[in-house]
Amino acid sequence: MINILIVEDEPAMQLGLKDNLEMESYTVDLANDGEAGLLKIKSGGYDLILLDVMLPKLSGFDVCKAARSAGIRTPIILLTARGEEIDKVVGLELGADDYITKPFSVRELLARVKAILRRSQSIVLEKEDTLVDIGRLHVDFAIFQAKENGADVKLSHKELEILSYLYKNKNLVVSRYDLLENVWGYEEQITTRTVDNFIVRLRQKVETNPNQPRIILTVHGSGYKMVL
Ligand code: CA
């Protein structure tokens, strides 16, 4: 599960953000002012923080600065108001990862959120061991091998690439086009149906019950999501 903290004092904005993020299956926590926000940030457990700049008690800038000087590396997206161009620069200098200007569209916000999460999660993956457990499989992405209970499981290179891509984006929705673009590349004449066929084959190797997947989920109308 991906946990997002929203630090925002305007109730309508807070609710709108919360609803839209929850619709994307993120877990959302809220803070109404800078002080409460900073306390929550310091308590840890968040994958991303949406931080309004104009906040009661402690500004978003102060929160950002305090969090960074406390050694907290959680990605922060600042929510700035129109016309606060200088503030954006200050915010990024204080350690924010990105900013978005109000009013923004839901689509724009979700794109930023997804991009930041993708970036931070791939950094985590690079630092971590390349040995991971995905359902029934024990996978070594460094040598592209998979085992189940110590015995080799035959996975094609493409299957492993798909598995790797889903793993890098675990708990995020990955569209069929994301997979086409990142696993096959633009040139190859592959259709989204091919992607679906590969997913069916992967489920047979990963899932305890391939007919009721719990790891490689179908997100209706969007694509797939690896839940780990
Ligand atoms: Ca505000």
Side-chain angles (χ1 to χ4, degrees):
M1 266 314 202
I2 290 183
N3 296 314
I4 300 180
L5 175 67
I6 302 170
V7 189
E8 167 65 73
D9 59 315
E10 292 155 55
M13 176 64 78
Q14 201 186 64
L15 190 67
L17 288 169
K18 183 175 184 285
D19 284 351
N20 281 296
L21 291 168
E22 284 179 346
M23 252 188 280
E24 296 289 311
S25 317
Y26 298 118
T27 306
V28 175
D29 196 9
L30 302 169
N32 300 317
D33 64 61
E35 268 179 22
L38 185 57
L39 273 177
K40 289 200 168 186
I41 292 168
K42 283 186 172 172
S43 74
Y46 301 107
D47 299 287
L48 177 70
I49 297 149
L50 295 181
L51 179 61
D52 186 29
V53 171
M54 298 295 283
L55 286 169
K57 297 188 182 173
L58 207 57
S59 80
F61 289 154
D62 291 332
V63 172
C64 189
K65 197 173 160 189
R68 292 302 184 233
S69 55
I72 289 151
R73 305 312 312 160
T74 312
I76 294 175
I77 301 179
L78 288 174
L79 310 177
T80 68
R82 180 169 282 174
E84 293 177 339
E85 304 295 325
I86 300 157
D87 289 353
K88 292 170 191 168
V89 178
V90 174
L92 295 178
E93 279 172 359
L94 290 176
D97 296 84
D98 200 359
Y99 58 82
I100 188 161
T101 308
K102 296 176 188 174
F104 46 78
S105 70
V106 170
R107 183 188 287 245
E108 188 185 358
L109 174 84
L110 292 176
R112 300 287 185 93
V113 165
K114 221 172 156 181
I116 293 268
L117 286 171
R118 198 166 273 174
R119 209 192 299 161
S120 63
Q121 298 223 327
S122 62
I123 292 167
V124 171
L125 182 65
E126 278 160 24
K127 282 184 194 158
E128 275 176 1
D129 205 310
T130 55
L131 291 167
V132 293
D133 287 309
I134 301 174
R136 284 156 47 203
L137 296 181
H138 184 65
V139 186
D140 188 342
F141 284 122
I143 52 170
F144 261 43
Q145 268 184 3
K147 286 178 188 283
E148 181 180 358
N149 298 325
D152 283 336
V153 177
K154 280 250 173 293
L155 260 78
S156 72
H157 194 78
K158 233 23 150 192
E159 286 174 330
L160 278 159
E161 279 188 294
I162 295 165
L163 209 57
S164 167
Y165 189 76
L166 290 173
Y167 182 76
K168 279 181 200 157
N169 294 287
K170 61 178 180 286
N171 302 316
L172 298 173
V173 177
V174 171
S175 75
R176 290 171 176 83
Y177 293 100
D178 284 340
L179 282 167
L180 280 177
E181 192 181 321
N182 289 285
V183 175
W184 280 271
Y186 284 114
E187 314 86 79
E188 291 185 58
Q189 298 294 310
I190 302 289
T191 63
T192 51
R193 186 177 288 261
T194 310
V195 176
D196 295 337
N197 292 337
F198 268 92
I199 295 290
V200 168
R201 288 217 290 277
L202 273 176
R203 279 178 177 152
Q204 284 161 359
K205 293 166 185 177
V206 166
E207 302 281 352
T208 308
N209 179 358
N211 296 322
Q212 286 185 312
R214 288 172 175 247
I215 292 157
I216 305 175
L217 306 184
T218 301
V219 181
H220 191 69
S222 303
Y224 297 103
K225 180 161 78 170
M226 181 178 280
V227 176
L228 286 176

